Amino acid sequence: MKFNFQKNILGYFQFYYSVVGYRIILYMILSVLVSFMDGLGLAMFMPLLQSVSDGDVNAGKESLGYLHFITSFVTNLGFDLSLTVVLFLLITLFLFKGLFKICAG
């Protein structure tokens, strides 16, 4: 059995699209969402570790660098950055990541 596809990324994509169908696009989107949630969850470990070590979660802007928008978003929602809020946010992010991973198969 000979497969007819080009040996470049577009040829491989067309081959897998002919085999799997529209689900390949869904898998790709879910993989990107899982990666994004994993990155956010790992970025939230910094405020969590700072709150455990010295009790000051608000010092996270310096340590997070360009990712301080995460903690700013939480404070703009009206939540104080306490150990409980950061831990709950971490658990929620990793639960969503697991849900996306389960949906991806």
Side-chain angles (χ1 to χ4, degrees):
M1 181 172 176
K2 184 176 178 179
F3 295 112
N4 186 13
F5 62 92
Q6 300 170 350
K7 295 198 181 224
N8 59 22
I9 192 153
L10 186 60
Y12 290 119
F13 181 77
Q14 288 174 346
F15 171 73
Y16 284 112
Y17 187 79
S18 68
V19 172
V20 181
Y22 70 92
R23 291 178 298 189
I24 193 168
I25 296 171
L26 180 66
Y27 293 149
M28 291 172 69
I29 291 171
L30 286 174
S31 293
V32 168
L33 284 173
V34 166
S35 300
F36 181 71
M37 289 297 207
D38 198 24
L40 285 178
L42 291 174
M44 286 305 294
F45 272 117
M46 192 60 69
L48 180 66
L49 292 174
Q50 284 181 345
S51 68
V52 169
S53 66
D54 58 357
D56 186 21
V57 183
N58 294 324
K61 286 189 177 185
E62 296 84 22
S63 64
L64 285 176
Y66 291 113
L67 294 176
H68 70 83
F69 69 89
I70 300 169
T71 55
S72 299
F73 176 73
V74 173
T75 55
N76 287 340
L77 287 177
F79 297 109
D80 291 330
L81 281 179
S82 65
L83 179 65
T84 308
V85 171
V86 173
L87 192 59
F88 179 75
L89 185 62
L90 264 172
I91 290 170
T92 305
L93 285 172
F94 282 117
L95 282 176
F96 276 119
K97 181 190 121 178
L99 181 68
F100 290 143
K101 189 69 174 170
I102 288 171
C103 289

XYZ file of all heavy atoms in Angstrom:
836
model
N 0.843 -1.175 0.000
C 0.000 0.000 0.000
C 0.886 1.234 0.000
O 1.715 1.404 0.877
C -0.902 -0.024 1.226
C -1.834 1.120 1.324
S -2.954 0.802 2.701
C -3.838 2.281 2.695
N 0.698 2.074 -0.973
C 1.529 3.266 -1.085
C 0.706 4.499 -0.725
O -0.400 4.685 -1.207
C 2.061 3.397 -2.508
C 3.000 4.547 -2.664
C 3.587 4.590 -4.041
C 4.485 5.809 -4.100
N 5.120 5.932 -5.376
N 1.285 5.303 0.168
C 0.623 6.540 0.573
C 1.086 7.659 -0.339
O 2.268 7.760 -0.668
C 0.955 6.887 2.026
C 0.422 5.878 2.995
C 1.285 5.075 3.716
C -0.930 5.730 3.187
C 0.809 4.144 4.609
C -1.423 4.800 4.085
C -0.554 4.007 4.797
N 0.160 8.509 -0.691
C 0.476 9.616 -1.583
C 0.446 10.921 -0.782
O -0.615 11.477 -0.547
C -0.537 9.662 -2.733
C -0.168 10.696 -3.774
O 0.948 11.209 -3.776
N -1.093 10.988 -4.650
N 1.606 11.350 -0.322
C 1.705 12.634 0.358
C 3.094 13.218 0.149
O 4.056 12.517 -0.113
C 1.375 12.527 1.851
C 2.294 11.639 2.645
C 3.400 12.168 3.271
C 2.026 10.296 2.781
C 4.240 11.366 4.007
C 2.863 9.486 3.526
C 3.967 10.016 4.135
N 3.151 14.526 0.259
C 4.426 15.224 0.083
C 5.219 15.143 1.379
O 4.656 15.070 2.461
C 4.172 16.684 -0.273
C 3.383 16.855 -1.537
C 2.943 18.302 -1.732
O 3.076 19.127 -0.837
N 2.419 18.591 -2.895
N 6.519 15.199 1.256
C 7.368 15.101 2.441
C 7.699 16.482 2.982
O 8.847 16.881 3.060
C 8.630 14.327 2.123
C 8.328 12.897 1.787
C 9.541 12.049 1.901
C 9.124 10.655 1.524
N 9.606 9.641 2.334
N 6.659 17.215 3.352
C 6.809 18.476 4.063
C 5.682 18.560 5.077
O 4.826 17.684 5.140
C 6.819 19.684 3.105
C 5.559 19.787 2.279
O 4.517 19.262 2.643
N 5.653 20.457 1.150
N 5.666 19.595 5.856
C 4.702 19.660 6.951
C 3.268 19.748 6.445
O 2.366 19.160 7.028
C 5.037 20.822 7.916
C 4.211 20.679 9.179
C 4.783 22.161 7.261
C 4.832 21.290 10.386
N 3.046 20.432 5.346
C 1.704 20.522 4.791
C 1.237 19.169 4.252
O 0.075 18.785 4.423
C 1.652 21.587 3.694
C 0.281 21.897 3.124
C -0.650 22.405 4.209
C 0.390 22.907 2.006
N 2.140 18.428 3.637
C 1.804 17.094 3.146
C 1.455 16.138 4.271
O 0.494 15.366 4.167
N 2.238 16.189 5.364
C 1.936 15.356 6.516
C 0.600 15.743 7.133
O -0.194 14.883 7.537
C 3.043 15.449 7.571
C 4.319 14.785 7.159
C 5.495 15.507 7.039
C 4.354 13.418 6.889
C 6.673 14.900 6.666
C 5.525 12.792 6.513
C 6.685 13.542 6.405
O 7.846 12.933 6.030
N 0.342 17.046 7.243
C -0.931 17.494 7.807
C -2.098 17.021 6.948
O -3.112 16.558 7.470
C -0.944 19.023 7.943
C -2.229 19.538 8.533
C -2.466 19.441 9.891
C -3.200 20.103 7.720
C -3.652 19.901 10.434
C -4.380 20.564 8.255
C -4.607 20.461 9.620
N -1.968 17.133 5.630
C -3.039 16.679 4.740
C -3.273 15.170 4.866
O -4.412 14.708 4.839
C -2.718 17.041 3.294
C -2.844 18.509 2.996
C -2.369 18.861 1.594
O -1.706 18.069 0.935
N -2.694 20.071 1.157
N -2.195 14.423 5.022
C -2.338 12.978 5.194
C -3.103 12.661 6.472
O -4.068 11.890 6.463
C -0.966 12.299 5.219
C -1.043 10.858 5.617
C -1.558 9.914 4.741
C -0.611 10.449 6.862
C -1.637 8.574 5.102
C -0.688 9.127 7.230
C -1.205 8.187 6.359
N -2.681 13.243 7.592
C -3.355 12.963 8.859
C -4.776 13.515 8.869
O -5.667 12.940 9.489
C -2.543 13.497 10.048
C -1.364 12.629 10.354
C -0.074 13.085 10.151
C -1.530 11.338 10.820
C 1.014 12.284 10.417
C -0.453 10.523 11.102
C 0.823 11.010 10.890
O 1.890 10.206 11.156
N -4.994 14.628 8.178
C -6.350 15.171 8.083
C -7.251 14.217 7.306
O -8.420 14.049 7.650
C -6.336 16.553 7.415
C -7.672 17.236 7.426
C -8.128 17.871 8.579
C -8.482 17.250 6.306
C -9.355 18.491 8.606
C -9.717 17.872 6.315
C -10.148 18.491 7.465
O -11.374 19.103 7.497
N -6.717 13.553 6.284
C -7.518 12.588 5.534
C -7.810 11.349 6.367
O -8.835 10.701 6.185
C -6.818 12.201 4.233
O -5.651 11.450 4.504
N -6.930 11.006 7.297
C -7.130 9.828 8.137
C -8.047 10.152 9.316
O -9.022 9.447 9.579
C -5.778 9.279 8.644
C -5.992 8.179 9.672
C -4.946 8.787 7.491
N -7.743 11.237 10.043
C -8.456 11.548 11.280
C -9.647 12.471 11.036
O -10.642 12.407 11.750
C -7.483 12.177 12.311
C -8.178 12.487 13.601
C -6.315 11.253 12.564
N -9.559 13.346 10.080
C -10.645 14.281 9.800
C -10.514 15.552 10.609
O -9.411 15.964 10.988
N -11.658 16.167 10.875
C -11.669 17.460 11.577
C -11.150 17.343 13.007
O -10.799 18.347 13.623
C -13.084 18.035 11.590
C -14.030 17.277 12.488
C -14.210 17.656 13.807
C -14.721 16.172 12.030
C -15.059 16.967 14.642
C -15.570 15.470 12.843
C -15.743 15.873 14.162
O -16.575 15.179 14.981
N -11.083 16.127 13.542
C -10.637 15.968 14.935
C -9.189 16.361 15.131
O -8.794 16.711 16.240
C -10.852 14.532 15.378
C -12.333 14.182 15.516
C -12.502 12.776 15.910
N -11.925 11.939 14.845
C -12.045 10.639 14.790
N -12.693 10.003 15.728
N -11.509 9.950 13.801
N -8.391 16.339 14.081
C -6.986 16.733 14.234
C -6.878 18.200 14.624
O -6.029 18.585 15.427
C -6.163 16.418 12.967
C -4.668 16.547 13.277
C -6.539 17.320 11.823
C -3.777 15.984 12.200
N -7.766 19.029 14.088
C -7.767 20.452 14.450
C -8.201 20.606 15.901
O -7.620 21.396 16.652
C -8.662 21.243 13.490
C -8.077 21.158 12.078
C -8.805 22.688 13.926
C -8.955 21.714 10.997
N -9.207 19.833 16.317
C -9.648 19.867 17.708
C -8.525 19.420 18.643
O -8.287 20.043 19.680
C -10.871 18.966 17.880
C -11.464 18.876 19.274
C -12.053 20.220 19.688
C -12.514 17.796 19.327
N -7.793 18.378 18.266
C -6.663 17.906 19.077
C -5.573 18.964 19.180
O -4.972 19.150 20.236
C -6.077 16.627 18.513
C -6.987 15.427 18.589
C -6.923 14.432 17.639
C -7.919 15.281 19.611
C -7.761 13.332 17.692
C -8.747 14.194 19.676
C -8.668 13.222 18.720
O -9.486 12.134 18.774
N -5.325 19.661 18.086
C -4.292 20.700 18.108
C -4.702 21.855 19.015
O -3.887 22.370 19.785
C -4.019 21.185 16.686
C -3.330 20.142 15.824
S -3.209 20.601 14.104
C -2.031 21.933 14.193
N -5.954 22.267 18.941
C -6.449 23.355 19.795
C -6.401 22.947 21.261
O -5.953 23.718 22.121
C -7.867 23.772 19.365
C -7.823 24.464 18.004
C -8.511 24.685 20.401
C -9.182 24.716 17.389
N -6.833 21.726 21.555
C -6.791 21.255 22.939
C -5.356 21.119 23.444
O -5.083 21.395 24.616
C -7.533 19.928 23.065
C -9.054 20.029 22.994
C -9.679 18.645 22.979
C -9.598 20.840 24.143
N -4.430 20.740 22.597
C -3.024 20.653 23.007
C -2.459 22.031 23.338
O -1.705 22.182 24.304
C -2.197 20.007 21.904
O -2.551 18.671 21.744
N -2.834 23.035 22.562
C -2.393 24.399 22.847
C -2.989 24.874 24.169
O -2.299 25.508 24.982
C -2.751 25.345 21.683
C -2.570 26.794 22.064
C -1.920 25.010 20.459
N -4.273 24.570 24.412
C -4.897 24.964 25.677
C -4.245 24.265 26.867
O -4.038 24.884 27.915
C -6.392 24.662 25.639
C -7.246 25.619 24.834
C -8.679 25.116 24.741
C -7.216 26.999 25.434
N -3.904 22.997 26.720
C -3.228 22.267 27.799
C -1.866 22.901 28.078
O -1.491 23.106 29.232
C -3.090 20.770 27.437
C -2.107 20.068 28.356
C -4.437 20.089 27.503
N -1.143 23.251 27.040
C 0.172 23.887 27.226
C 0.035 25.243 27.897
O 0.833 25.597 28.780
C 0.858 24.050 25.878
O 1.045 22.812 25.267
N -0.970 26.000 27.496
C -1.201 27.319 28.095
C -1.554 27.188 29.574
O -1.022 27.918 30.418
C -2.318 28.041 27.329
C -2.613 29.407 27.840
C -1.718 30.444 27.641
C -3.798 29.666 28.500
C -1.992 31.714 28.109
C -4.084 30.929 28.971
C -3.177 31.962 28.770
N -2.441 26.256 29.904
C -2.821 26.055 31.302
C -1.641 25.556 32.131
O -1.493 25.936 33.286
C -3.970 25.050 31.400
C -5.260 25.571 30.901
S -5.786 26.956 31.887
C -7.507 26.857 31.678
N -0.806 24.727 31.542
C 0.369 24.232 32.250
C 1.326 25.380 32.543
O 1.878 25.477 33.639
C 1.056 23.161 31.427
C 2.003 22.316 32.240
O 1.827 22.234 33.465
O 2.912 21.714 31.637
N 1.514 26.260 31.569
C 2.382 27.419 31.774
C 1.855 28.357 32.844
O 2.612 28.851 33.691
N 0.548 28.610 32.826
C -0.037 29.469 33.860
C 0.071 28.834 35.239
O 0.364 29.512 36.226
C -1.508 29.758 33.537
C -1.788 30.747 32.435
C -3.294 30.868 32.219
C -1.195 32.101 32.737
N -0.166 27.538 35.297
C -0.065 26.856 36.585
C 1.343 26.890 37.140
O 1.548 27.123 38.334
N 2.319 26.683 36.272
C 3.709 26.739 36.736
C 4.111 28.156 37.120
O 4.893 28.354 38.049
C 4.633 26.187 35.658
C 4.516 24.686 35.416
C 5.379 24.280 34.232
C 4.887 23.907 36.650
N 3.579 29.156 36.418
C 3.891 30.547 36.767
C 3.284 30.931 38.112
O 3.816 31.800 38.811
C 3.390 31.487 35.678
N 2.195 30.286 38.495
C 1.564 30.615 39.773
C 2.284 29.987 40.960
O 1.976 30.306 42.104
C 0.099 30.163 39.764
C -0.804 31.037 38.928
S -0.737 32.776 39.383
C -1.425 32.750 41.008
N 3.254 29.115 40.711
C 4.024 28.565 41.820
C 4.902 29.629 42.482
O 5.179 29.545 43.669
C 4.899 27.394 41.355
C 4.207 26.082 41.403
C 3.979 25.364 40.246
C 3.768 25.558 42.595
C 3.344 24.152 40.285
C 3.127 24.346 42.652
C 2.907 23.640 41.489
N 5.321 30.629 41.724
C 6.195 31.661 42.293
C 5.488 32.448 43.407
O 6.040 32.582 44.504
C 6.695 32.589 41.194
C 7.808 33.486 41.645
S 9.252 32.604 42.205
C 9.846 31.919 40.690
N 4.270 32.981 43.185
C 3.596 33.653 44.303
C 3.285 32.710 45.459
O 3.316 33.118 46.622
C 2.304 34.195 43.689
C 2.510 34.215 42.244
C 3.515 33.151 41.945
N 3.005 31.450 45.147
C 2.722 30.492 46.208
C 3.957 30.262 47.070
O 3.877 30.288 48.306
C 2.252 29.169 45.602
C 1.907 28.066 46.595
C 0.683 28.454 47.408
C 1.684 26.772 45.873
N 5.107 30.079 46.432
C 6.333 29.874 47.198
C 6.736 31.122 47.971
O 7.247 31.026 49.090
C 7.458 29.440 46.257
C 7.301 28.064 45.626
C 8.403 27.827 44.613
C 7.289 26.990 46.677
N 6.493 32.308 47.400
C 6.827 33.538 48.125
C 5.929 33.724 49.334
O 6.374 34.200 50.372
C 6.706 34.739 47.201
C 7.851 34.867 46.250
C 7.711 36.084 45.363
O 6.642 36.670 45.273
N 8.789 36.445 44.706
N 4.668 33.358 49.195
C 3.771 33.522 50.339
C 4.120 32.549 51.455
O 3.941 32.857 52.623
C 2.320 33.338 49.910
O 2.088 31.998 49.552
N 4.619 31.404 51.109
C 5.019 30.438 52.133
C 6.314 30.880 52.803
O 6.463 30.786 54.014
C 5.178 29.026 51.510
C 5.843 28.078 52.474
C 3.828 28.493 51.080
N 7.257 31.410 52.015
C 8.564 31.743 52.588
C 8.538 33.001 53.440
O 9.006 33.005 54.552
C 9.606 31.884 51.490
O 9.300 33.004 50.675
N 7.975 34.106 52.908
C 8.017 35.344 53.694
C 6.640 35.956 53.931
O 6.547 37.008 54.546
C 8.942 36.374 53.040
C 8.548 36.716 51.624
O 7.591 36.115 51.107
O 9.224 37.573 51.032
N 5.590 35.328 53.451
C 4.250 35.813 53.719
C 3.814 36.972 52.853
O 2.710 37.474 53.003
N 4.632 37.438 51.932
C 4.288 38.575 51.072
C 4.107 38.093 49.642
O 5.068 37.879 48.931
C 5.374 39.647 51.136
C 4.985 40.909 50.370
O 3.781 41.113 50.137
O 5.895 41.669 50.015
N 2.861 37.949 49.233
C 2.574 37.513 47.878
C 2.659 38.683 46.915
O 2.930 38.514 45.736
C 1.169 36.861 47.811
C 0.868 36.326 46.435
C 1.059 35.766 48.826
N 2.464 39.890 47.387
C 2.451 41.057 46.511
C 3.824 41.401 45.948
O 3.931 42.213 45.046
C 1.884 42.273 47.257
C 0.429 42.062 47.589
O -0.307 41.462 46.809
N 0.012 42.537 48.741
N 4.871 40.781 46.437
C 6.205 41.004 45.888
C 6.434 40.202 44.623
O 7.519 40.187 44.085
C 7.265 40.652 46.927
N 5.402 39.551 44.127
C 5.528 38.674 42.978
C 5.759 39.390 41.665
O 6.141 38.779 40.688
N 5.519 40.704 41.599
C 5.702 41.415 40.335
C 7.146 41.377 39.876
O 7.414 41.243 38.695
C 5.227 42.859 40.459
C 3.730 42.978 40.483
C 3.289 44.409 40.385
C 1.784 44.473 40.327
N 1.288 45.800 40.113
N 8.066 41.476 40.798
C 9.471 41.458 40.414
C 9.901 40.064 39.980
O 10.649 39.899 39.028
C 10.364 41.931 41.568
C 10.142 43.375 41.980
C 8.994 43.544 42.952
O 8.635 42.560 43.638
O 8.428 44.642 43.004
N 9.442 39.058 40.671
C 9.895 37.702 40.372
C 9.180 37.103 39.159
O 9.737 36.240 38.492
C 9.698 36.805 41.587
O 8.326 36.690 41.876
N 7.975 37.543 38.869
C 7.249 37.003 37.728
C 7.646 37.657 36.415
O 7.393 37.114 35.350
C 5.740 37.157 37.929
C 5.099 36.192 38.906
C 3.627 36.523 39.078
C 5.253 34.775 38.440
N 8.235 38.822 36.464
C 8.640 39.502 35.236
C 7.436 39.919 34.418
O 6.538 40.596 34.898
N 7.402 39.494 33.157
C 6.299 39.870 32.270
C 5.018 39.100 32.553
O 3.979 39.415 31.981
C 6.701 39.660 30.808
C 7.750 40.626 30.343
C 9.018 40.185 30.015
C 7.464 41.979 30.245
C 9.991 41.068 29.590
C 8.419 42.869 29.827
C 9.682 42.414 29.496
O 10.635 43.303 29.088
N 5.084 38.108 33.409
C 3.890 37.329 33.737
C 3.139 37.869 34.949
O 2.255 37.214 35.464
C 4.274 35.866 33.985
C 4.793 35.108 32.778
C 5.227 33.708 33.191
C 3.729 35.016 31.706
N 3.474 39.070 35.388
C 2.788 39.634 36.546
C 1.332 39.958 36.240
O 0.546 40.238 37.134
C 3.514 40.873 37.077
C 3.429 42.056 36.170
N 2.354 42.895 36.172
C 4.270 42.513 35.224
C 2.544 43.836 35.252
N 3.705 43.616 34.669
N 0.926 39.888 34.962
C -0.470 40.138 34.621
C -1.383 39.087 35.252
O -2.568 39.336 35.469
C -0.678 40.173 33.104
C -0.518 38.839 32.407
C -1.600 38.005 32.254
C 0.710 38.448 31.915
C -1.456 36.781 31.619
C 0.855 37.242 31.271
C -0.226 36.402 31.126
N -0.838 37.922 35.584
C -1.645 36.884 36.219
C -2.068 37.332 37.610
O -3.252 37.278 37.958
C -0.861 35.560 36.291
C -0.481 35.086 34.896
C -1.654 34.488 37.026
C 0.505 33.947 34.895
N -1.113 37.794 38.395
C -1.457 38.249 39.736
C -2.253 39.549 39.686
O -3.124 39.767 40.521
C -0.195 38.432 40.583
O 0.707 39.321 39.920
C 0.483 37.111 40.840
N -1.985 40.396 38.704
C -2.767 41.623 38.558
C -4.219 41.305 38.203
O -5.140 41.969 38.689
C -2.170 42.516 37.470
O -0.872 42.896 37.801
N -4.430 40.287 37.377
C -5.781 39.878 37.011
C -6.548 39.394 38.235
O -7.722 39.732 38.421
C -5.722 38.785 35.943
C -7.056 38.227 35.561
C -7.940 38.984 34.795
C -7.440 36.966 35.967
C -9.175 38.476 34.443
C -8.675 36.448 35.612
C -9.548 37.210 34.848
N -5.887 38.630 39.095
C -6.542 38.108 40.296
C -6.901 39.255 41.239
O -8.010 39.295 41.794
C -5.642 37.066 40.996
C -6.222 36.649 42.330
C -5.460 35.859 40.106
N -6.001 40.206 41.409
C -6.306 41.333 42.288
C -7.365 42.255 41.683
O -8.156 42.848 42.418
C -5.038 42.148 42.616
O -4.413 42.557 41.403
C -4.077 41.347 43.456
N -7.411 42.378 40.353
C -8.453 43.184 39.711
C -9.831 42.538 39.839
O -10.845 43.236 39.749
C -8.130 43.421 38.237
C -7.011 44.394 38.043
O -6.682 45.184 38.935
N -6.373 44.347 36.886
N -9.871 41.221 40.013
C -11.144 40.543 40.249
C -11.668 40.801 41.660
O -12.812 40.488 41.956
C -10.999 39.040 40.026
C -10.874 38.575 38.589
C -10.654 37.065 38.543
C -12.122 38.924 37.803
N -10.832 41.356 42.520
C -11.257 41.694 43.872
C -10.750 40.740 44.929
O -11.153 40.838 46.089
N -9.892 39.817 44.569
C -9.337 38.873 45.543
C -7.984 39.363 46.022
O -7.183 39.871 45.250
C -9.156 37.485 44.918
C -10.441 36.849 44.485
C -10.745 36.720 43.136
C -11.347 36.386 45.412
C -11.916 36.133 42.731
C -12.529 35.801 45.019
C -12.821 35.675 43.671
N -7.735 39.214 47.313
C -6.401 39.479 47.837
C -5.527 38.269 47.532
O -5.986 37.132 47.540
C -6.443 39.703 49.350
C -7.144 40.992 49.701
O -7.082 41.936 48.883
O -7.757 41.050 50.784
N -4.272 38.514 47.269
C -3.358 37.406 46.988
C -2.894 36.778 48.289
O -1.858 37.114 48.833
C -2.164 37.881 46.170
C -2.400 38.070 44.690
C -1.138 38.558 44.007
C -2.868 36.794 44.051
N -3.697 35.880 48.785
C -3.325 35.139 49.981
C -2.926 33.725 49.575
O -3.073 33.328 48.422
C -4.496 35.100 50.967
O -5.564 34.372 50.408
N -2.428 32.996 50.517
C -2.019 31.621 50.258
C -3.200 30.786 49.779
O -3.084 29.995 48.840
C -1.401 31.010 51.521
C -0.935 29.572 51.428
C 0.218 29.468 50.448
C -0.528 29.062 52.785
N -4.357 31.004 50.366
C -5.552 30.243 49.997
C -5.988 30.541 48.570
O -6.314 29.621 47.812
C -6.698 30.576 50.969
O -6.238 30.414 52.301
C -7.889 29.687 50.732
N -5.995 31.813 48.179
C -6.433 32.197 46.834
C -5.467 31.655 45.787
O -5.890 31.118 44.755
C -6.575 33.729 46.732
C -6.813 34.160 45.303
C -7.700 34.214 47.627
N -4.169 31.775 46.032
C -3.184 31.286 45.066
C -3.261 29.771 44.937
O -3.224 29.222 43.828
C -1.763 31.736 45.461
C -0.716 31.091 44.580
C -1.652 33.247 45.383
N -3.425 29.078 46.056
C -3.537 27.626 46.019
C -4.815 27.192 45.306
O -4.803 26.254 44.502
C -3.497 27.062 47.435
C -3.314 25.567 47.582
C -2.015 25.130 46.926
C -3.308 25.177 49.036
N -5.933 27.879 45.551
C -7.182 27.571 44.865
C -7.052 27.819 43.359
O -7.540 27.027 42.552
C -8.322 28.406 45.451
C -9.637 28.159 44.786
C -10.343 26.994 45.040
C -10.168 29.080 43.904
C -11.551 26.753 44.427
C -11.373 28.851 43.277
C -12.074 27.682 43.544
N -6.383 28.896 42.990
C -6.177 29.194 41.571
C -5.307 28.125 40.911
O -5.583 27.700 39.784
C -5.549 30.574 41.408
C -5.368 31.080 39.993
C -6.710 31.215 39.293
C -4.661 32.415 39.999
N -4.281 27.681 41.610
C -3.430 26.609 41.087
C -4.221 25.319 40.879
O -4.102 24.675 39.831
C -2.288 26.336 42.066
C -0.980 27.023 41.794
C -0.033 26.820 42.948
C -0.373 26.530 40.532
N -5.020 24.966 41.856
C -5.823 23.744 41.744
C -6.804 23.863 40.595
O -6.975 22.927 39.798
C -6.547 23.458 43.075
C -5.534 23.043 44.137
C -7.608 22.380 42.904
C -6.106 22.961 45.529
N -7.426 25.032 40.448
C -8.378 25.247 39.359
C -7.694 25.160 38.003
O -8.218 24.520 37.075
C -9.062 26.616 39.516
O -9.666 26.693 40.810
C -10.117 26.828 38.460
N -6.524 25.779 37.864
C -5.805 25.725 36.592
C -5.411 24.299 36.223
O -5.564 23.876 35.068
C -4.564 26.615 36.651
C -4.805 28.109 36.571
C -3.520 28.874 36.829
C -5.367 28.480 35.216
N -4.927 23.541 37.197
C -4.523 22.178 36.901
C -5.726 21.261 36.665
O -5.628 20.293 35.903
C -3.607 21.622 37.984
C -2.195 22.122 37.860
C -1.621 22.885 38.852
C -1.453 21.837 36.738
C -0.325 23.347 38.731
C -0.151 22.297 36.605
C 0.413 23.062 37.602
N -6.864 21.559 37.276
C -8.072 20.791 36.972
C -8.529 21.039 35.538
O -8.917 20.107 34.825
C -9.187 21.137 37.952
C -9.090 20.500 39.329
C -10.203 21.013 40.241
C -9.169 18.990 39.228
N -8.510 22.318 35.109
C -8.872 22.622 33.727
C -7.879 21.990 32.749
O -8.265 21.501 31.690
C -8.950 24.129 33.491
C -10.273 24.717 33.881
C -10.349 25.683 34.868
C -11.439 24.308 33.275
C -11.550 26.235 35.224
C -12.659 24.848 33.626
C -12.717 25.805 34.609
N -6.613 22.004 33.116
C -5.607 21.370 32.262
C -5.886 19.877 32.127
O -5.833 19.314 31.029
C -4.218 21.589 32.847
C -3.122 20.978 31.989
C -1.814 21.006 32.721
C -1.334 19.603 32.833
N -0.106 19.380 33.455
N -6.216 19.227 33.208
C -6.558 17.810 33.163
C -7.812 17.550 32.354
O -7.887 16.566 31.604
N -8.800 18.427 32.474
C -10.026 18.292 31.692
C -9.739 18.413 30.199
O -10.241 17.621 29.389
C -11.038 19.348 32.132
C -12.383 19.334 31.429
C -13.162 18.077 31.801
C -13.170 20.572 31.793
N -8.922 19.393 29.827
C -8.558 19.546 28.418
C -7.760 18.343 27.921
O -7.920 17.904 26.787
C -7.759 20.831 28.184
C -8.569 22.081 28.335
C -8.017 23.207 28.910
C -9.874 22.147 27.906
C -8.742 24.365 29.040
C -10.618 23.299 28.039
C -10.064 24.397 28.611
N -6.895 17.815 28.776
C -6.096 16.648 28.398
C -6.983 15.419 28.209
O -6.761 14.625 27.287
C -5.031 16.393 29.486
C -4.027 15.377 29.110
C -3.134 15.880 28.024
C -2.028 14.873 27.770
N -1.288 15.193 26.599
N -7.992 15.259 29.064
C -8.922 14.144 28.918
C -9.734 14.290 27.640
O -9.960 13.318 26.922
C -9.836 14.045 30.151
C -9.041 13.542 31.344
C -11.017 13.128 29.893
C -9.792 13.600 32.658
N -10.164 15.517 27.338
C -10.940 15.751 26.109
C -10.088 15.485 24.866
O -10.616 15.058 23.837
C -11.460 17.180 26.080
S -12.771 17.485 27.257
N -8.797 15.747 24.952
C -7.925 15.525 23.811
C -7.679 14.036 23.560
O -7.312 13.645 22.468
C -6.595 16.244 24.000
N -7.907 13.247 24.578
C -7.783 11.796 24.381
C -6.520 11.286 24.806
O -5.575 10.950 24.977
